[in-house]
Amino acid sequence: MIEIIKLLLGIETSDTSLDALLQFYKEQAYLMACEYCNVDNLPIKYDNTISLLAVYLYRNKDSL
């Protein structure tokens, strides 16, 4: 999923300098979606939605 997030952000997939930060936002997006849906786990079909939410969180990190 990190590769998809990188593509959406225009980051080269070979660039690993932001992987830890992107992983953090991916995990936060997943937790937010689970809390919103009041579930413990989300089906894999929502991975793209989680990726988009992670991109949103990354791009808006200074305003959160």
Side-chain angles (χ1 to χ4, degrees), residues 21-58:
L21 186 60
L22 296 176
Q23 181 67 28
F24 169 79
Y25 283 113
K26 181 191 78 120
E27 291 170 7
Q28 287 304 112
Y30 188 84
L31 289 174
M32 289 173 67
C34 285
E35 285 183 28
Y36 181 79
C37 296
N38 198 28
V39 296
D40 292 328
N41 295 303
L42 292 171
I44 196 167
K45 68 181 182 178
Y46 294 108
D47 281 358
N48 287 339
T49 303
I50 299 302
S51 296
L52 289 170
L53 182 55
V55 167
Y56 174 84
L57 293 173
Y58 177 82

Side-chain angles (χ1 to χ4, degrees), residues 7 9 23 62:
L7 289 171
L9 290 169
Q23 181 67 28
D62 293 330

